[in-house]
Amino acid sequence: MKAVRLYDPLDLRCETVAMAPDPGPDEVRVRVAYAGICGSDIHNFKTGQWITRRPSIAGHEFSGWVDAIGKNISKFSIGDKIVVDSRFYCGKCVNCCSGKTHLCENLGFVGEAIDGGFAEFSTLPAKLLLKCAADARLDIVALAEPLAVALHALKRLALPDDEPLLIIGCGPIGALAAIAANCLSPRPLLICDVNAARVSHTAKLSGATPVDLSSLRQFDNPAGQPLRYVLDTTGNVGVISSLIQSLTGCSIGLVGIGSGDLTFDPVMLVEREITVLGCHAFFDELRQAVDLLQSKPEKFEAVIGQKITLDQTLQSYQSIASGQSAAIKTLIEINHV
């Protein structure tokens, strides 16, 4: 079968590999329909930060059909439409046993710890599969994993429905968070990004108001209310540092994967009553994400900027990594009905 495998930083290859194996007793083989390229995929491609096995079939955001079922599996049937939970957790550590599988002490991710979805077929533990409706659009539900990350971040912030929210960064997570926030509540939304095209596109999809972060004021802004909740999806330490130094009485959610050291005086957190929240992957939001995508596909369809083939994956990685891609989310279209 054809697959895209990561060998080392900047070494991504589309090649012919052995067929995904027949499933073991507790596994399912998936015929992959669509797979999304994630910012963490690009980060790993550029830095090799999470390369734990060489080579590994990349991709942790994907949808498809059940192709083969292990003997212990009864909740799936051949042909079922599914999406994949990206979290490869042990199920045995203290965090897993207390239900916090996203904080597993041995956590890895599909596409890194085990082979992922940038392939025609993928064999996975059945516990990582979530069934979709028979009429679900597999391109739309392929957004479920990043949408679950966005929903988890919104849940961590726990902002009231009538409070404004500023989302920094209009990449996939930022755009999906803005659309989801708009779907869940009529709250005022502010968004910003250095990419003007992405800001404009996200504003149209979410009803948000674009703002310039450099001149934005916490107590005099287009939302008409004090700004108490911010979600950073960039991971940019300069942006995060600026937020900590300029805001008071504010909760700041961090969901972006960046690099660099963040230095600040913790007294600022005390005197300004600033809450900084880490938002890692997702907890139980994948089902909510699938349901939202199935019920409101028209809200999310325009997030998909382009659909490419497996052969075009390296070129797309390079374009995204260099900042030349205008698309919010790129999907790899792998198999058809």
Side-chain angles (χ1 to χ4, degrees), residues 42 45 306 313-327:
I42 303 302
F45 170 70
Q306 58 181 333
T313 305
L314 175 58
Q315 180 182 353
S316 186
Y317 263 53
Q318 292 169 333
S319 176
I320 296 169
S322 66
Q324 296 176 0
S325 175

Side-chain angles (χ1 to χ4, degrees), residues 268-300:
M268 286 192 295
L269 302 185
V270 176
E271 293 181 342
R272 295 172 177 267
E273 286 205 347
I274 295 172
T275 300
V276 179
L277 296 162
C279 309
H280 182 244
F282 53 93
F283 177 43
D284 58 359
E285 294 85 5
L286 190 61
R287 179 77 266 172
Q288 181 187 6
V290 170
D291 290 345
L292 193 55
L293 291 165
Q294 290 178 156
S295 65
K296 299 180 182 295
E298 73 285 353
K299 288 278 192 179
F300 295 93

Side-chain angles (χ1 to χ4, degrees), residues 173-195:
I173 301 300
L176 289 169
I179 298 169
N182 176 253
C183 289
L184 297 173
S185 167
R187 67 174 57 88
L189 285 172
L190 306 177
I191 56 171
C192 62
D193 195 296
V194 294
N195 186 317

Side-chain angles (χ1 to χ4, degrees), residues 22 29 37 66-67 72 77 122 139 150 154 160 179 188 197 209 238-239 257 261 278 297 332 337:
D22 292 338
R29 185 166 62 205
I37 298 177
V66 172
D67 175 71
N72 292 342
S77 300
S122 181
D139 57 341
L154 293 173
I179 298 169
T209 300
V239 170
I257 300 295
D261 295 326
I332 307 171
V337 175

Side-chain angles (χ1 to χ4, degrees), residues 51-310:
I51 295 177
T52 58
R53 49 200 294 273
R54 296 173 170 82
S56 182
I57 297 175
H60 59 272
E61 306 175 0
F62 56 105
S63 64
W65 304 268
V66 172
D67 175 71
I69 301 171
K71 66 179 183 179
N72 292 342
I73 307 304
S74 59
K75 64 178 181 178
F76 295 108
S77 300
I78 302 299
D80 281 348
K81 292 180 177 179
I82 59 88
V83 296
V84 174
D85 185 332
S86 60
R87 305 164 305 162
F88 187 65
Y89 52 90
C90 71
K92 300 176 182 179
C93 69
V94 173
N95 278 335
C96 282
C97 291
S98 61
K100 297 184 180 297
T101 50
H102 65 306
L103 301 177
C104 171
E105 295 174 12
N106 305 295
L107 186 67
F109 285 89
V110 175
E112 298 160 7
I114 60 173
D115 283 337
F118 289 2
E120 294 175 293
F121 294 86
S122 181
T123 300
L124 301 159
K127 68 180 182 180
L128 299 186
L129 271 57
L130 191 64
K131 189 185 296 187
C132 301
D135 62 351
R137 283 184 52 179
L138 288 174
D139 57 341
I140 300 296
V141 296
L143 300 172
E145 197 274 353
L147 179 56
V149 173
L151 289 169
H152 180 64
L154 293 173
K155 185 183 292 185
R156 288 276 290 153
L157 275 175
L159 66 160
D161 286 345
D162 59 349
E163 289 278 357
L165 170 65
L166 168 64
I167 297 175
I168 302 173
C170 293
I173 301 300
L176 289 169
I179 298 169
N182 176 253
C183 289
L184 297 173
S185 167
R187 67 174 57 88
L189 285 172
L190 306 177
I191 56 171
C192 62
D193 195 296
V194 294
N195 186 317
R198 279 189 167 185
V199 171
S200 177
H201 191 42
T202 302
K204 291 176 183 177
L205 298 178
S206 64
T209 300
V211 296
D212 181 350
L213 189 60
S214 64
S215 60
L216 182 66
R217 297 182 178 181
Q218 183 178 5
F219 302 112
D220 181 15
N221 62 74
Q225 299 172 240
L227 184 62
R228 302 292 188 188
Y229 297 90
V230 178
L231 180 62
D232 176 75
T233 71
T234 69
N236 185 300
V237 294
V239 170
I240 298 167
S241 177
S242 176
L243 292 172
I244 292 173
Q245 294 179 52
S246 63
L247 299 173
T248 61
C250 191
S251 294
I252 306 170
L254 306 182
V255 68
I257 300 295
S259 60
D261 295 326
L262 178 62
T263 302
F264 64 91
D265 183 353
V267 173
M268 286 192 295
L269 302 185
V270 176
E271 293 181 342
R272 295 172 177 267
E273 286 205 347
I274 295 172
T275 300
V276 179
L277 296 162
C279 309
H280 182 244
F282 53 93
F283 177 43
D284 58 359
E285 294 85 5
L286 190 61
R287 179 77 266 172
Q288 181 187 6
V290 170
D291 290 345
L292 193 55
L293 291 165
Q294 290 178 156
S295 65
K296 299 180 182 295
E298 73 285 353
K299 288 278 192 179
F300 295 93
E301 182 173 14
V303 170
I304 302 169
Q306 58 181 333
K307 295 175 181 176
I308 64 171
T309 66
L310 284 168

